[in-house]
Protein backbone atom coordinates (compact mmCIF):
# COMPACT_ATOMS: atom_id res chain seq x y z
CA UNK A 1 0.00 0.00 0.00
CA UNK A 2 1.25 3.45 -0.83
CA UNK A 3 1.98 5.90 1.98
CA UNK A 4 1.41 8.95 -0.12
CA UNK A 5 -2.11 10.19 -0.80
CA UNK A 6 -3.75 13.12 -2.50
CA UNK A 7 -6.90 14.61 -1.01
CA UNK A 8 -9.62 15.64 -3.38
CA UNK A 9 -12.20 17.97 -1.88
CA UNK A 10 -15.44 18.98 -3.48
CA UNK A 11 -15.76 22.61 -2.37
CA UNK A 12 -19.51 22.57 -3.12
CA UNK A 13 -20.37 19.72 -0.73
CA UNK A 14 -17.33 19.80 1.55
CA UNK A 15 -16.88 16.03 0.98
CA UNK A 16 -13.30 14.78 0.66
CA UNK A 17 -11.57 11.60 -0.33
CA UNK A 18 -8.04 10.31 0.00
CA UNK A 19 -6.66 8.95 -3.25
CA UNK A 20 -3.67 6.60 -3.04
CA UNK A 21 -0.64 7.69 -5.07
CA UNK A 22 1.30 4.88 -6.71
CA UNK A 23 4.97 5.05 -7.59
CA UNK A 24 6.18 3.05 -10.57
CA UNK A 25 9.76 1.97 -11.21
CA UNK A 26 10.19 5.21 -13.17
CA UNK A 27 7.89 7.99 -14.29
CA UNK A 28 5.69 10.45 -12.44
CA UNK A 29 3.62 9.20 -9.50
CA UNK A 30 0.07 8.21 -10.42
CA UNK A 31 -3.03 9.27 -8.47
CA UNK A 32 -5.45 6.37 -8.21
CA UNK A 33 -8.90 7.84 -8.78
CA UNK A 34 -10.70 4.52 -9.26
CA UNK A 35 -12.99 5.21 -6.28
CA UNK A 36 -13.69 8.84 -7.19
CA UNK A 37 -17.15 8.11 -8.55
CA UNK A 38 -18.22 5.79 -5.72
CA UNK A 39 -16.97 8.25 -3.06
CA UNK A 40 -17.58 11.70 -4.55
CA UNK A 41 -19.92 10.91 -7.45
CA UNK A 42 -17.58 12.55 -9.97
CA UNK A 43 -15.70 11.64 -13.11
CA UNK A 44 -12.39 12.89 -14.44
CA UNK A 45 -12.20 14.68 -17.79
CA UNK A 46 -8.93 14.19 -19.69
CA UNK A 47 -9.59 14.54 -23.40
CA UNK A 48 -6.82 12.78 -25.33
CA UNK A 49 -5.52 11.01 -22.18
CA UNK A 50 -2.92 13.73 -21.64
CA UNK A 51 -2.44 12.92 -17.95
CA UNK A 52 -4.21 9.61 -17.55
CA UNK A 53 -2.56 6.22 -17.07
CA UNK A 54 -4.88 3.55 -18.47
CA UNK A 55 -3.14 0.52 -16.94
CA UNK A 56 -0.19 -0.84 -15.01
CA UNK A 57 2.39 -2.15 -17.45
CA UNK A 58 5.86 -3.68 -17.21
CA UNK A 59 6.54 -3.85 -20.95
CA UNK A 60 7.85 -0.46 -22.06
CA UNK A 61 8.91 2.72 -20.32
CA UNK A 62 9.39 6.08 -21.96
CA UNK A 63 10.32 9.48 -20.59
CA UNK A 64 9.35 12.12 -23.10
CA UNK A 65 11.15 14.93 -21.26
CA UNK A 66 14.50 13.14 -21.27
CA UNK A 67 14.02 11.26 -24.56
CA UNK A 68 14.31 7.81 -22.96
CA UNK A 69 12.77 4.58 -24.25
CA UNK A 70 13.27 1.13 -22.71
CA UNK A 71 11.72 -2.27 -23.33
CA UNK A 72 11.62 -4.48 -20.23
CA UNK A 73 14.38 -2.24 -18.82
CA UNK A 74 16.71 -2.43 -21.84
CA UNK A 75 17.47 0.95 -23.48
CA UNK A 76 16.32 1.16 -27.09
CA UNK A 77 19.78 2.13 -28.41
CA UNK A 78 21.30 -1.05 -26.94
CA UNK A 79 18.55 -3.19 -28.43
CA UNK A 80 18.83 -1.47 -31.83
CA UNK A 81 22.60 -1.93 -31.93
CA UNK A 82 22.97 -5.38 -30.37
CA UNK A 83 19.72 -7.33 -30.57
CA UNK A 84 17.53 -8.63 -33.38
CA UNK A 85 13.83 -8.08 -34.02
CA UNK A 86 12.91 -11.68 -33.15
CA UNK A 87 14.87 -11.45 -29.90
CA UNK A 88 13.04 -8.21 -29.07
CA UNK A 89 9.73 -10.00 -29.80
CA UNK A 90 10.73 -12.68 -27.27
CA UNK A 91 11.73 -10.01 -24.77
CA UNK A 92 8.48 -8.08 -25.14
CA UNK A 93 6.37 -11.22 -24.84
CA UNK A 94 8.25 -12.94 -22.03
CA UNK A 95 9.86 -10.18 -19.99
CA UNK A 96 13.48 -11.33 -20.24
CA UNK A 97 16.06 -11.95 -22.91
CA UNK A 98 16.18 -15.60 -23.99
CA UNK A 99 19.10 -17.97 -23.55
CA UNK A 100 20.36 -19.76 -26.67
CA UNK A 101 17.95 -22.74 -26.33
CA UNK A 102 14.95 -20.48 -25.72
CA UNK A 103 15.89 -18.33 -28.69
CA UNK A 104 16.31 -21.35 -31.01
CA UNK A 105 12.94 -22.75 -29.90
CA UNK A 106 11.27 -19.38 -30.36
CA UNK A 107 12.63 -18.92 -33.87
CA UNK A 108 11.73 -22.51 -34.79
CA UNK A 109 8.18 -21.86 -33.60
CA UNK A 110 7.96 -18.70 -35.67
CA UNK A 111 9.14 -20.60 -38.75
CA UNK A 112 6.59 -23.35 -38.03
CA UNK A 113 3.73 -20.85 -37.97
CA UNK A 114 4.83 -18.65 -40.87
CA UNK A 115 2.23 -19.77 -43.36
CA UNK A 116 -1.42 -18.93 -43.79
CA UNK A 117 -4.33 -21.15 -44.76
CA UNK A 118 -4.75 -21.31 -48.54
CA UNK A 119 -8.34 -20.12 -48.17
CA UNK A 120 -7.16 -16.91 -46.54
CA UNK A 121 -5.30 -16.07 -49.73
CA UNK A 122 -8.68 -15.81 -51.48
CA UNK A 123 -9.58 -12.81 -49.35
CA UNK A 124 -7.02 -10.77 -51.27
CA UNK A 125 -8.79 -11.27 -54.57
CA UNK A 126 -11.79 -9.38 -53.22
CA UNK A 127 -9.73 -6.19 -53.14
CA UNK A 128 -9.16 -3.99 -56.16
CA UNK A 129 -5.60 -4.21 -57.50
CA UNK A 130 -4.95 -0.64 -56.36
CA UNK A 131 -6.47 -0.97 -52.87
CA UNK A 132 -4.35 0.65 -50.19
CA UNK A 133 -2.33 -2.18 -48.59
CA UNK A 134 -3.36 -0.98 -45.12
CA UNK A 135 -7.01 -1.50 -46.09
CA UNK A 136 -6.14 -5.04 -47.20
CA UNK A 137 -4.11 -5.71 -44.04
CA UNK A 138 -6.98 -4.62 -41.79
CA UNK A 139 -9.28 -7.12 -43.55
CA UNK A 140 -6.98 -10.13 -43.80
CA UNK A 141 -5.72 -9.80 -40.22
CA UNK A 142 -9.31 -9.62 -39.01
CA UNK A 143 -10.07 -12.68 -41.16
CA UNK A 144 -7.43 -14.66 -39.22
CA UNK A 145 -9.83 -14.57 -36.28
CA UNK A 146 -12.11 -16.98 -38.13
CA UNK A 147 -9.33 -19.54 -38.64
CA UNK A 148 -8.37 -20.07 -35.02
CA UNK A 149 -11.61 -19.10 -33.33
CA UNK A 150 -12.57 -22.61 -32.23
CA UNK A 151 -9.11 -23.54 -31.03
CA UNK A 152 -8.54 -20.40 -29.05
CA UNK A 153 -9.45 -20.10 -25.41
CA UNK A 154 -8.31 -16.63 -24.36
CA UNK A 155 -8.29 -17.77 -20.71
CA UNK A 156 -5.81 -20.56 -21.45
CA UNK A 157 -2.21 -19.29 -21.06
CA UNK A 158 -0.89 -21.83 -23.59
CA UNK A 159 -3.43 -20.81 -26.21
CA UNK A 160 -2.50 -17.19 -25.62
CA UNK A 161 1.20 -17.85 -26.22
CA UNK A 162 0.38 -19.84 -29.34
CA UNK A 163 -1.71 -16.91 -30.57
CA UNK A 164 1.12 -14.46 -29.93
CA UNK A 165 3.52 -16.67 -31.89
CA UNK A 166 1.02 -16.93 -34.73
CA UNK A 167 0.66 -13.14 -34.89
CA UNK A 168 4.44 -12.56 -35.00
CA UNK A 169 4.94 -15.37 -37.53
CA UNK A 170 2.08 -14.54 -39.89
CA UNK A 171 2.23 -10.76 -40.07
CA UNK A 172 5.17 -10.75 -42.55
CA UNK A 173 3.25 -13.19 -44.76
CA UNK A 174 0.08 -11.09 -44.70
CA UNK A 175 2.07 -7.88 -45.26
CA UNK A 176 4.08 -9.26 -48.20
CA UNK A 177 0.90 -10.62 -49.81
CA UNK A 178 -0.65 -7.11 -49.67
CA UNK A 179 2.22 -5.88 -51.82
CA UNK A 180 2.06 -8.83 -54.21
CA UNK A 181 -1.65 -8.21 -54.68
CA UNK A 182 -0.95 -4.56 -55.56
CA UNK A 183 1.70 -5.40 -58.14
CA UNK A 184 -0.12 -8.40 -59.58
CA UNK A 185 2.53 -11.01 -58.82
CA UNK A 186 1.96 -14.46 -57.33
CA UNK A 187 2.25 -14.82 -53.56
CA UNK A 188 5.60 -16.16 -52.38
CA UNK A 189 5.65 -18.77 -49.62
CA UNK A 190 7.71 -18.38 -46.51
CA UNK A 191 11.20 -19.92 -46.79
CA UNK A 192 12.22 -21.74 -43.57
CA UNK A 193 15.89 -21.37 -44.48
CA UNK A 194 15.80 -17.61 -44.19
CA UNK A 195 15.81 -15.41 -41.11
CA UNK A 196 12.72 -13.38 -40.24
CA UNK A 197 13.66 -10.18 -42.09
CA UNK A 198 15.35 -11.86 -45.09
CA UNK A 199 12.29 -14.08 -45.42
CA UNK A 200 9.99 -11.07 -45.40
CA UNK A 201 12.07 -9.30 -48.07
CA UNK A 202 12.10 -12.49 -50.11
CA UNK A 203 8.30 -12.81 -49.92
CA UNK A 204 8.10 -9.17 -50.97
CA UNK A 205 10.57 -9.04 -53.85
CA UNK A 206 11.20 -12.49 -55.29
CA UNK A 207 9.07 -13.60 -58.22
CA UNK A 208 9.05 -16.61 -60.57
CA UNK A 209 10.92 -14.58 -63.18
CA UNK A 210 13.26 -12.82 -60.73
CA UNK A 211 15.98 -14.17 -58.52
CA UNK A 212 16.14 -12.02 -55.43
CA UNK A 213 18.71 -12.03 -52.70
CA UNK A 214 18.45 -9.33 -50.05
CA UNK A 215 21.69 -7.55 -49.29
CA UNK A 216 23.05 -7.94 -45.74
CA UNK A 217 22.84 -4.17 -45.22
CA UNK A 218 19.17 -4.16 -46.25
CA UNK A 219 18.42 -6.99 -43.81
CA UNK A 220 20.35 -5.31 -41.00
CA UNK A 221 18.72 -1.92 -41.55
CA UNK A 222 15.19 -3.29 -41.79
CA UNK A 223 15.78 -5.42 -38.71
CA UNK A 224 16.79 -2.27 -36.83
CA UNK A 225 13.77 -0.38 -38.12
CA UNK A 226 11.47 -3.16 -36.89
CA UNK A 227 13.12 -3.07 -33.45
CA UNK A 228 12.58 0.69 -33.26
CA UNK A 229 8.88 0.32 -34.06
CA UNK A 230 8.20 -2.81 -31.99
CA UNK A 231 6.45 -1.19 -29.04
CA UNK A 232 5.80 2.25 -27.63
CA UNK A 233 3.86 2.12 -24.40
CA UNK A 234 0.14 3.04 -24.42
CA UNK A 235 -0.06 4.89 -27.76
CA UNK A 236 -3.32 5.14 -29.74
CA UNK A 237 -3.08 1.79 -31.55
CA UNK A 238 -1.87 -0.14 -28.49
CA UNK A 239 -4.67 1.38 -26.42
CA UNK A 240 -7.09 0.35 -29.17
CA UNK A 241 -5.82 -3.24 -28.99
CA UNK A 242 -6.09 -3.23 -25.19
CA UNK A 243 -9.59 -1.75 -25.22
CA UNK A 244 -10.83 -4.31 -27.74
CA UNK A 245 -9.00 -7.06 -25.81
CA UNK A 246 -10.61 -5.97 -22.54
CA UNK A 247 -13.99 -6.79 -24.08
CA UNK A 248 -12.70 -10.36 -24.56
CA UNK A 249 -12.58 -9.92 -28.32
CA UNK A 250 -10.70 -12.38 -30.51
CA UNK A 251 -7.01 -11.36 -30.38
CA UNK A 252 -6.56 -11.39 -34.16
CA UNK A 253 -9.51 -9.02 -34.43
CA UNK A 254 -7.87 -6.88 -31.70
CA UNK A 255 -4.68 -6.69 -33.80
CA UNK A 256 -6.81 -5.69 -36.77
CA UNK A 257 -8.31 -2.88 -34.65
CA UNK A 258 -4.77 -1.76 -33.80
CA UNK A 259 -3.92 -1.64 -37.52
CA UNK A 260 -6.94 0.60 -38.12
CA UNK A 261 -5.78 3.04 -35.47
CA UNK A 262 -2.18 2.97 -36.67
CA UNK A 263 -3.26 3.87 -40.20
CA UNK A 264 -4.15 7.44 -39.19
CA UNK A 265 -1.85 10.25 -40.34
CA UNK A 266 -1.35 11.47 -36.79
CA UNK A 267 0.01 8.04 -35.86
CA UNK A 268 1.66 5.42 -38.09
CA UNK A 269 0.48 7.00 -41.33
CA UNK A 270 2.99 9.79 -40.74
CA UNK A 271 5.91 7.92 -42.37
CA UNK A 272 4.01 7.86 -45.66
CA UNK A 273 2.97 11.49 -45.20
CA UNK A 274 6.62 12.54 -44.63
CA UNK A 275 7.72 11.24 -48.02
CA UNK A 276 4.78 12.89 -49.75
CA UNK A 277 5.64 16.16 -47.99
CA UNK A 278 9.35 15.94 -48.91
CA UNK A 279 8.37 15.26 -52.52
CA UNK A 280 5.99 18.24 -52.45
CA UNK A 281 8.77 20.45 -51.11
CA UNK A 282 10.85 19.28 -54.06
CA UNK A 283 13.82 21.61 -53.72
CA UNK A 284 15.60 23.17 -50.76
CA UNK A 285 14.55 26.72 -51.65
CA UNK A 286 10.91 25.73 -51.04
CA UNK A 287 11.61 24.75 -47.42
CA UNK A 288 10.92 28.22 -45.88
CA UNK A 289 7.54 28.30 -47.63
CA UNK A 290 6.53 24.97 -46.09
CA UNK A 291 7.88 25.94 -42.66
CA UNK A 292 5.81 29.16 -42.84
CA UNK A 293 2.72 27.11 -43.74
CA UNK A 294 3.32 24.80 -40.76
CA UNK A 295 3.41 27.85 -38.48
CA UNK A 296 0.30 29.47 -39.97
CA UNK A 297 -2.68 28.71 -37.72
CA UNK A 298 -5.10 29.33 -40.61
CA UNK A 299 -3.41 26.55 -42.60
CA UNK A 300 -4.10 22.93 -41.51
CA UNK A 301 -0.68 21.86 -42.86
CA UNK A 302 1.74 20.44 -40.28
CA UNK A 303 5.33 19.36 -40.71
CA UNK A 304 4.91 15.60 -40.95
CA UNK A 305 7.38 13.63 -38.84
CA UNK A 306 7.64 16.49 -36.37
CA UNK A 307 6.18 16.63 -32.88
CA UNK A 308 5.01 13.95 -30.51
CA UNK A 309 2.45 13.77 -27.75
CA UNK A 310 4.97 12.42 -25.27
CA UNK A 311 8.44 13.37 -26.52
CA UNK A 312 9.23 16.98 -25.77
CA UNK A 313 12.85 16.25 -26.61
CA UNK A 314 14.49 14.36 -29.47
CA UNK A 315 12.64 11.07 -30.03
CA UNK A 316 15.46 8.59 -29.17
CA UNK A 317 14.34 6.39 -32.05
CA UNK A 318 14.74 9.30 -34.48
CA UNK A 319 18.42 9.67 -33.51
CA UNK A 320 19.10 5.97 -34.18
CA UNK A 321 17.13 6.04 -37.42
CA UNK A 322 18.92 9.16 -38.64
CA UNK A 323 22.25 7.34 -38.20
CA UNK A 324 20.95 4.13 -39.80
CA UNK A 325 19.64 6.16 -42.71
CA UNK A 326 23.08 7.64 -43.36
CA UNK A 327 24.77 4.23 -43.07
CA UNK A 328 22.34 2.63 -45.50
CA UNK A 329 22.60 5.40 -48.06
CA UNK A 330 26.41 5.48 -47.87
CA UNK A 331 26.70 1.69 -48.17
CA UNK A 332 24.18 1.51 -51.01
CA UNK A 333 25.87 4.43 -52.78
CA UNK A 334 22.68 6.51 -52.70
CA UNK A 335 24.01 9.11 -50.27
CA UNK A 336 23.27 12.02 -52.55
CA UNK A 337 19.57 11.36 -52.63
CA UNK A 338 17.90 14.78 -52.93
CA UNK A 339 15.14 13.71 -50.55
CA UNK A 340 17.68 13.13 -47.76
CA UNK A 341 19.22 16.53 -48.41
CA UNK A 342 15.80 18.18 -48.13
CA UNK A 343 14.99 16.24 -44.95
CA UNK A 344 18.26 17.28 -43.30
CA UNK A 345 17.89 20.92 -44.26
CA UNK A 346 14.27 20.98 -43.17
CA UNK A 347 15.25 19.49 -39.82
CA UNK A 348 18.02 22.07 -39.39
CA UNK A 349 15.77 25.01 -40.24
CA UNK A 350 12.89 23.82 -38.04
CA UNK A 351 15.12 23.10 -35.04
CA UNK A 352 16.39 26.72 -35.13
CA UNK A 353 12.93 28.23 -35.53
CA UNK A 354 11.37 29.76 -32.38
CA UNK A 355 7.95 28.29 -33.25
CA UNK A 356 9.31 24.74 -33.05
CA UNK A 357 11.67 25.52 -30.14
CA UNK A 358 8.89 27.03 -27.99
CA UNK A 359 6.54 24.12 -28.66
CA UNK A 360 9.35 21.60 -28.25
CA UNK A 361 8.69 20.01 -31.62
CA UNK A 362 11.46 17.61 -32.66
CA UNK A 363 11.69 15.03 -35.44
CA UNK A 364 9.92 11.82 -34.45
CA UNK A 365 10.64 8.21 -35.46
CA UNK A 366 8.87 8.65 -38.78
CA UNK A 367 10.86 11.59 -40.06
CA UNK A 368 13.70 9.43 -41.39
CA UNK A 369 12.10 5.98 -41.51
CA UNK A 370 10.40 6.71 -44.84
CA UNK A 371 13.72 7.59 -46.44
CA UNK A 372 15.16 4.26 -45.29
CA UNK A 373 12.17 2.35 -46.61
CA UNK A 374 12.37 4.17 -49.92
CA UNK A 375 16.07 3.29 -50.20
CA UNK A 376 15.05 -0.36 -49.62
CA UNK A 377 12.70 -0.05 -52.64
CA UNK A 378 9.62 -0.39 -50.49
CA UNK A 379 6.76 1.57 -52.04
CA UNK A 380 5.37 4.48 -50.05
CA UNK A 381 1.96 2.88 -49.60
CA UNK A 382 3.64 -0.06 -47.80
CA UNK A 383 5.39 2.10 -45.18
CA UNK A 384 2.63 1.90 -42.59
CA UNK A 385 2.22 -1.81 -43.31
CA UNK A 386 5.81 -2.31 -42.19
CA UNK A 387 5.11 -0.26 -39.10
CA UNK A 388 2.12 -2.53 -38.38
CA UNK A 389 4.25 -5.62 -38.89
CA UNK A 390 6.75 -4.37 -36.29
CA UNK A 391 4.16 -3.03 -33.86
CA UNK A 392 2.24 -6.31 -33.86
CA UNK A 393 4.95 -7.61 -31.51
CA UNK A 394 4.14 -4.84 -29.04
CA UNK A 395 0.38 -5.13 -29.51
CA UNK A 396 0.30 -8.85 -28.82
CA UNK A 397 2.69 -8.52 -25.86
CA UNK A 398 0.49 -5.81 -24.35
CA UNK A 399 -2.54 -8.03 -24.99
CA UNK A 400 -0.79 -10.92 -23.17
CA UNK A 401 -0.09 -8.59 -20.25
CA UNK A 402 -3.71 -7.41 -20.20
CA UNK A 403 -5.07 -10.96 -20.17
CA UNK A 404 -2.68 -11.93 -17.33
CA UNK A 405 -3.55 -8.88 -15.25
CA UNK A 406 -5.28 -9.79 -11.95
CA UNK A 407 -7.03 -6.37 -12.07
CA UNK A 408 -8.38 -7.17 -15.55
CA UNK A 409 -11.74 -5.55 -16.33
CA UNK A 410 -13.41 -4.22 -19.42
CA UNK A 411 -12.21 -0.73 -20.43
CA UNK A 412 -15.18 1.59 -20.23
CA UNK A 413 -14.41 5.35 -20.25
CA UNK A 414 -17.07 7.78 -19.05
CA UNK A 415 -17.93 11.22 -20.45
CA UNK A 416 -19.04 14.74 -19.70
CA UNK A 417 -22.49 14.89 -21.31
CA UNK A 418 -23.09 18.29 -22.94
CA UNK A 419 -26.13 17.41 -25.09
CA UNK A 420 -29.77 18.41 -24.93
CA UNK A 421 -31.76 18.28 -21.73
CA UNK A 422 -34.59 15.74 -21.51
CA UNK A 423 -37.47 16.59 -23.87
CA UNK A 424 -40.61 14.84 -25.06
CA UNK A 425 -40.96 13.16 -28.43
CA UNK A 426 -43.39 14.91 -30.78
CA UNK A 427 -44.78 13.37 -33.91
CA UNK A 428 -43.34 14.48 -37.26
CA UNK A 429 -46.62 16.21 -38.23
CA UNK A 430 -46.46 18.43 -35.16
CA UNK A 431 -42.82 19.52 -35.70
CA UNK A 432 -42.38 22.99 -37.19
N1 LIG B 1 3.86 21.07 -37.36
C1 LIG B 1 3.47 22.30 -36.94
N2 LIG B 1 2.95 22.55 -35.74
C2 LIG B 1 2.80 21.52 -34.89
C3 LIG B 1 3.17 20.21 -35.25
C4 LIG B 1 3.72 19.99 -36.53
N3 LIG B 1 4.08 18.77 -36.93
N4 LIG B 1 2.90 19.37 -34.22
C5 LIG B 1 2.37 20.13 -33.27
N5 LIG B 1 2.31 21.43 -33.66
C6 LIG B 1 1.86 22.58 -32.85
C7 LIG B 1 0.34 22.61 -32.74
O1 LIG B 1 -0.25 23.36 -33.77
C8 LIG B 1 0.18 23.26 -31.38
O2 LIG B 1 0.41 24.65 -31.53
P1 LIG B 1 -0.39 25.71 -30.61
O3 LIG B 1 0.03 25.42 -29.20
O4 LIG B 1 0.03 27.03 -31.11
O5 LIG B 1 -1.86 25.44 -30.84
C9 LIG B 1 1.34 22.70 -30.57
O6 LIG B 1 2.36 22.40 -31.54
C10 LIG B 1 0.99 21.44 -29.77
O7 LIG B 1 0.44 20.49 -30.68
P2 LIG B 1 -0.71 19.46 -30.32
O8 LIG B 1 -1.49 19.15 -31.55
O9 LIG B 1 -1.46 19.95 -29.12
O10 LIG B 1 0.14 18.22 -29.88
P3 LIG B 1 -0.40 16.76 -29.75
O11 LIG B 1 0.42 16.12 -28.68
O12 LIG B 1 -1.87 16.71 -29.59
O13 LIG B 1 -0.05 16.10 -31.18
C11 LIG B 1 1.08 14.97 -32.93
C12 LIG B 1 1.03 15.27 -31.42
C13 LIG B 1 -0.29 14.44 -33.39
C14 LIG B 1 2.11 13.89 -33.17
C15 LIG B 1 1.44 16.28 -33.68
O14 LIG B 1 2.69 16.77 -33.26
C16 LIG B 1 1.43 16.09 -35.21
O15 LIG B 1 0.37 16.19 -35.82
N6 LIG B 1 2.63 15.80 -35.84
C17 LIG B 1 2.68 15.54 -37.26
C18 LIG B 1 2.24 14.10 -37.53
C19 LIG B 1 3.27 13.10 -37.10
O16 LIG B 1 4.46 13.21 -37.38
N7 LIG B 1 2.79 12.02 -36.43
C20 LIG B 1 3.63 10.90 -35.99
C21 LIG B 1 3.70 10.83 -34.50
S1 LIG B 1 4.85 9.59 -34.01
C22 LIG B 1 4.04 8.13 -34.22
O17 LIG B 1 2.86 7.99 -34.08
C23 LIG B 1 4.85 7.00 -34.60
Amino acid sequence: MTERTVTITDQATGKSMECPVWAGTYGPPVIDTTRLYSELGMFILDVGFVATASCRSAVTFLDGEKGVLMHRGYPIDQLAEQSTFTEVCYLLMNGDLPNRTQMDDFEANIRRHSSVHEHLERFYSGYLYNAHPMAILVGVTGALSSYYHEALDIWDPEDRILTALRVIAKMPVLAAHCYKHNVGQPFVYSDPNLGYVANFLNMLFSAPHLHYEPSPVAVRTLDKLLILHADHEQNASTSTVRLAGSAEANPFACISAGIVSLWGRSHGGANEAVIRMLNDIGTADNIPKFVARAKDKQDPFRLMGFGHRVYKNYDPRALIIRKACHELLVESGAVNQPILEIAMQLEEIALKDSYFIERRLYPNVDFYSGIILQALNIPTSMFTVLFALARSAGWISQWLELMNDPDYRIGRPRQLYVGAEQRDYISIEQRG
Side-chain angles (χ1 to χ4, degrees):
M1 179 61 185
T2 171
E3 291 188 353
R4 187 171 164 190
T5 59
V6 162
T7 308
I8 299 181
T9 305
D10 179 353
Q11 302 289 354
T13 61
K15 273 211 250 167
S16 287
M17 76 168 286
E18 295 288 307
C19 296
V21 176
W22 305 108
T25 316
Y26 300 116
V30 174
I31 306 170
D32 186 341
T33 56
T34 317
R35 298 184 58 77
L36 188 68
Y37 180 61
S38 59
E39 295 205 11
L40 294 187
M42 288 177 165
F43 295 148
I44 285 173
L45 179 67
D46 178 8
V47 177
F49 299 100
V50 177
T52 297
S54 61
C55 60
R56 286 182 169 83
S57 180
V59 182
T60 291
F61 171 74
L62 72 90
D63 181 335
E65 298 294 326
K66 296 191 185 132
V68 169
L69 172 62
M70 293 190 276
H71 297 315
R72 302 285 190 184
Y74 294 99
I76 191 65
D77 53 325
Q78 291 184 24
L79 293 173
E81 291 307 326
Q82 298 172 54
S83 187
T84 60
F85 178 65
T86 43
E87 191 180 56
V88 170
C89 291
Y90 183 99
L91 175 69
L92 290 170
M93 269 177 66
N94 297 287
D96 280 310
L97 287 170
N99 61 28
R100 173 50 57 203
T101 313
Q102 290 165 328
M103 190 64 212
D104 290 347
D105 283 353
F106 186 68
E107 289 190 322
N109 269 323
I110 289 179
R111 276 195 295 278
R112 188 170 311 131
H113 291 290
S114 61
S115 66
V116 293
H117 198 289
E118 286 292 315
H119 291 185
L120 188 89
E121 316 235 317
R122 296 188 204 150
F123 276 81
Y124 288 84
S125 52
Y127 289 90
L128 291 178
Y129 73 94
N130 59 355
H132 194 289
M134 280 298 276
I136 307 177
L137 193 66
V138 167
V140 292
T141 308
L144 273 186
S145 53
S146 66
Y147 288 84
Y148 308 105
H149 194 70
E150 299 303 317
L152 172 58
D153 174 0
I154 56 170
W155 300 114
D156 178 338
E158 283 184 21
D159 276 12
R160 292 203 293 260
I161 292 290
L162 177 60
T163 301
L165 280 168
R166 280 186 168 136
V167 166
I168 291 167
K170 293 180 198 307
M171 284 310 289
V173 184
L174 298 183
H177 287 7
C178 289
Y179 173 68
K180 288 300 195 193
H181 176 77
N182 280 165
V183 293
Q185 289 178 2
F187 296 154
V188 175
Y189 288 104
S190 180
D191 181 343
N193 299 311
L194 296 174
Y196 190 89
V197 172
N199 186 37
F200 171 63
L201 286 170
N202 189 56
M203 288 190 286
L204 210 56
F205 293 128
S206 71
H209 63 294
L210 285 174
H211 175 70
Y212 173 77
E213 215 164 291
S215 74
V217 63
V219 173
R220 203 171 63 235
T221 311
L222 187 54
D223 198 86
K224 196 175 280 188
L225 204 72
L226 297 185
I227 292 174
L228 294 176
H229 285 84
D231 193 46
H232 208 233
E233 207 224 43
Q234 306 309 321
N235 56 82
S237 56
T238 303
S239 297
T240 305
V241 171
R242 275 189 178 258
L243 200 54
S246 80
E248 302 183 23
N250 181 288
F252 296 102
C254 295
I255 298 297
S256 176
I259 296 170
V260 172
S261 175
L262 186 77
W263 193 4
R265 249 166 49 114
S266 295
H267 193 6
N271 55 11
E272 189 177 333
V274 169
I275 291 294
R276 297 196 197 289
M277 175 188 76
L278 294 174
N279 285 334
D280 286 348
I281 294 176
T283 54
D285 41 317
N286 284 328
I287 293 175
K289 220 167 34 195
F290 278 80
V291 171
R293 280 189 63 197
K295 293 170 9 181
D296 179 358
K297 294 289 158 202
Q298 308 308 317
D299 189 331
F301 173 77
R302 284 186 165 194
L303 275 196
M304 288 293 123
F306 259 79
H308 196 277
R309 167 59 62 78
V310 182
Y311 291 120
K312 301 302 170 196
N313 200 326
Y314 230 105
D315 179 338
R317 301 167 301 172
L319 285 171
I320 300 165
I321 267 188
R322 191 179 198 271
K323 191 164 156 255
C325 188
H326 276 263
E327 282 167 7
L328 174 72
L329 296 185
V330 168
E331 284 197 43
S332 61
V335 74
N336 291 325
Q337 277 214 359
I339 202 162
L340 179 67
E341 276 301 306
I342 293 170
M344 283 169 49
Q345 288 191 37
L346 176 60
E347 179 188 359
E348 205 184 318
I349 291 171
L351 289 179
K352 284 188 192 141
D353 191 299
S354 59
Y355 174 95
F356 293 88
I357 295 169
E358 279 158 20
R359 289 168 181 76
R360 302 168 77 192
L361 301 168
Y362 290 85
N364 59 49
V365 67
D366 282 329
F367 192 65
Y368 283 102
S369 65
I371 301 175
I372 290 187
L373 294 172
Q374 202 174 51
L376 295 175
N377 292 322
I378 291 169
T380 315
S381 62
M382 281 291 289
F383 289 2
T384 317
V385 171
L386 266 88
F387 194 160
L389 155 57
R391 187 55 60 84
S392 297
W395 290 331
I396 204 64
S397 302
Q398 300 264 355
W399 176 81
L400 285 174
E401 185 179 62
L402 168 82
M403 302 312 287
N404 277 317
D405 188 346
D407 292 335
Y408 169 95
R409 63 205 301 199
I410 187 169
R412 175 52 169 97
R414 303 307 301 262
Q415 63 171 13
L416 172 64
Y417 176 70
V418 293
E421 290 181 2
Q422 182 178 338
R423 45 190 167 164
D424 290 326
Y425 182 87
I426 45 173
S427 69
I428 196 162
E429 289 74 24
Q430 290 175 312
R431 288 174 222 156

